[in-house]
Amino acid sequence: MSASGLPYRLRPAKYVDRELFAELVAQIVAQNGRDGWMYASMAGEHLIDIQAIYRRSGIKAFYTFDGDERVVERQKFNQPLPNIQFGHHMSTELADRLDAVVEKAEAQRLIVWLDFTGTGSRKDQLDDFVAVLRKLAPGDVCRITMDAGHYFFKQLRDHLVPEGMEEEPVHIKVAAAFREALAPYSNPKTTALDKAEIANELVQCIGRACPMANARVDGNVQFVPLLLTRYGDESTMITVTVRCEKEDQPLNIPASWDWAPADWSDVLMINADLLSPRERATADARIDDPDVVCTELPFVDEDTIRAYARFHRYQPNFQNVAE
C-alpha cells in the first residue's frame, strides 16, 4: 500500500502537517468571519481534511473532486456534512470549474488544496497549481502538496537524464534531469542536486511558479507563503500554502500564527516519530520541559522527543484516533 492510501493515524507527520494547515485556515477565517468562505480539495475517500477544516474554522461550504468515479461515489456515501459539492474530474479541470462551483455555493472567498500524493509529472502538477492561482482574488488561499521522495529521485536518475549525460556523476545527472523535467519552474543555474536537496528545490520551483500566475482581479498581486513544510512518513513530501494579496495592499499575517516562513528557503521540517502510549504519557506530563523528558526517556532519541514537544498540539491522540 502506498502512503497515500494509509490512514492519518499511521502517518503522524502528515497528520501534524494537516493540523498545522487547519489551524492556519482557522486563524485566517477568524480575521473576517466564517461566512462566505468555501474550501475545495482532493479530500480522498473519507473526507478527513474537510472534517478537520470544518472542526477548526467553521467553514460551511465545501467542494471535493477525484478522477476516480468509485472514489467520488464513496465520498458521497461517507458525506459527513450537508454542504459538500462533489466533482468527478482530474486536477487539470479544476480551474475551469471553480467559478461555477463558487457561484453555486454563493461564496466570496476561497481556499484550495491540491494534494498531489501520486508520482505523476511534477511539471503538470505545477501547471495545475498556476491555473488555480489565476482564479484567486486577494485574500484567497491555495495549498499544494507534492511528492519529493525516493521514487522521484530514481525517476530523475534513471529515466529523465538528458541525452549525452548518462555517464556524468549522479548529482550532475539528477540536476540536469530536474531542470528539464520542471522547466520553466526550475532554476537553470542548478548544476548539482543531491537526493536530500530535491525537496527544497521543489519548494523553490513552487516559489517561481507563483509570479507566473495572473489573477482575475485588477491590479498587481503577489502570492505570499504562509506555511512551507517538509515531512516524511513513507515518502518525502513538501507542502506550500500561499495567500493572494494586492502588492500595494498587503494583508496582515494572523497575530497568533507562529509558523510563517521568513522566505522561500525557510522550510519547516516536521518530525513526528511514533512514541508508545507509555512514552507519550511520560512526555505529556512534562511537555513544557523537554530536557526533563529526555532524562526520563533516555532510550528514546532526543530529537524525537524535542520534535514531539514542538508539535505537541498537533499530534494525533486517542480522541481523534478514528481519523
Side-chain angles (χ1 to χ4, degrees), residues 41-285:
S41 76
M42 309 155 79
E45 298 167 343
H46 304 293
L47 307 170
I48 297 300
D49 66 284
I50 284 179
Q51 296 179 58
I53 295 296
Y54 171 75
R55 186 177 67 246
R56 282 189 176 263
S57 69
I59 290 176
K60 298 177 181 178
F62 299 93
Y63 179 71
T64 183
F65 67 96
D66 200 279
D68 187 334
E69 186 175 7
R70 294 184 59 167
V71 171
V72 177
E73 291 304 312
R74 193 169 181 182
Q75 289 176 333
K76 293 177 180 178
F77 181 83
N78 290 321
Q79 181 175 349
L81 301 167
N83 298 319
I84 303 177
Q85 298 181 53
F86 299 90
H88 174 215
H89 60 83
M90 305 299 291
S91 59
T92 52
E93 302 174 49
L94 178 62
D96 290 337
R97 294 172 179 255
L98 271 178
D99 286 341
V101 168
V102 170
E103 182 179 358
K104 183 176 180 180
E106 299 182 345
Q108 294 81 47
R109 293 178 290 272
L110 181 64
I111 299 167
V112 181
W113 182 3
L114 294 171
D115 190 6
F116 293 117
T117 54
T119 54
S121 166
R122 278 38 172 213
K123 192 266 184 185
D124 290 346
Q125 293 168 0
L126 288 174
D127 288 345
D128 294 344
F129 176 65
V130 169
V132 170
L133 292 185
R134 289 173 175 160
K135 291 290 186 176
L136 302 188
D140 291 347
V141 174
C142 189
R143 169 176 164 95
I144 182 172
T145 299
M146 299 180 75
D147 191 323
H150 183 66
Y151 180 85
F152 186 36
F153 169 76
K154 289 182 63 179
Q155 188 181 41
L156 293 170
R157 183 194 64 192
D158 300 336
H159 304 298
L160 299 179
V161 177
E163 186 176 352
M165 299 195 68
E166 293 84 359
E167 302 305 318
E168 294 287 344
V170 171
H171 62 290
I172 303 296
K173 290 195 300 184
V174 169
F178 188 97
R179 290 195 309 269
E180 189 165 300
L182 274 295
Y185 309 109
S186 54
N187 183 355
K189 296 182 180 180
T190 300
T191 57
L193 195 59
D194 291 331
K195 180 180 177 181
E197 299 172 319
I198 289 176
N200 284 12
E201 193 72 18
L202 199 53
V203 171
Q204 296 296 319
C205 288
I206 297 172
R208 282 185 285 272
C210 287
M212 298 180 186
N214 297 317
R216 65 184 180 189
V217 295
D218 295 331
N220 294 325
V221 298
Q222 58 187 354
F223 297 94
V224 178
L226 297 181
L227 179 64
L228 309 177
T229 67
R230 172 181 176 176
Y231 65 89
D233 291 316
E234 195 164 296
S235 182
T236 300
M237 309 295 294
I238 57 101
T239 76
V240 167
T241 303
V242 298
R243 181 168 60 180
C244 181
E245 301 180 357
K246 282 192 174 182
E247 290 183 345
D248 58 348
Q249 297 178 20
L251 299 173
N252 292 326
I253 294 176
S256 298
W257 181 243
D258 301 324
W259 307 97
D263 53 42
W264 282 96
S265 64
D266 186 16
V267 180
L268 175 66
M269 182 66 186
I270 297 176
N271 295 309
D273 294 330
L274 288 172
L275 299 176
S276 73
R278 183 172 294 183
E279 290 165 352
R280 287 175 64 108
T282 299
D284 291 345

Side-chain angles (χ1 to χ4, degrees), residues 7-20 229-235 259 268-276 279-280 300-317:
Y8 275 98
R9 65 183 179 274
L10 298 182
R11 292 176 291 162
K14 183 175 178 66
Y15 187 100
V16 169
D17 178 68
R18 187 205 66 191
E19 290 297 300
L20 278 166
T229 67
R230 172 181 176 176
Y231 65 89
D233 291 316
E234 195 164 296
S235 182
W259 307 97
L268 175 66
M269 182 66 186
I270 297 176
N271 295 309
D273 294 330
L274 288 172
L275 299 176
S276 73
E279 290 165 352
R280 287 175 64 108
V300 178
D301 182 76
E302 183 175 323
D303 289 341
T304 296
I305 293 173
R306 296 193 183 281
Y308 179 80
R310 186 182 190 192
F311 300 111
H312 185 251
R313 288 200 302 117
Y314 312 101
Q315 298 277 359
N317 55 51

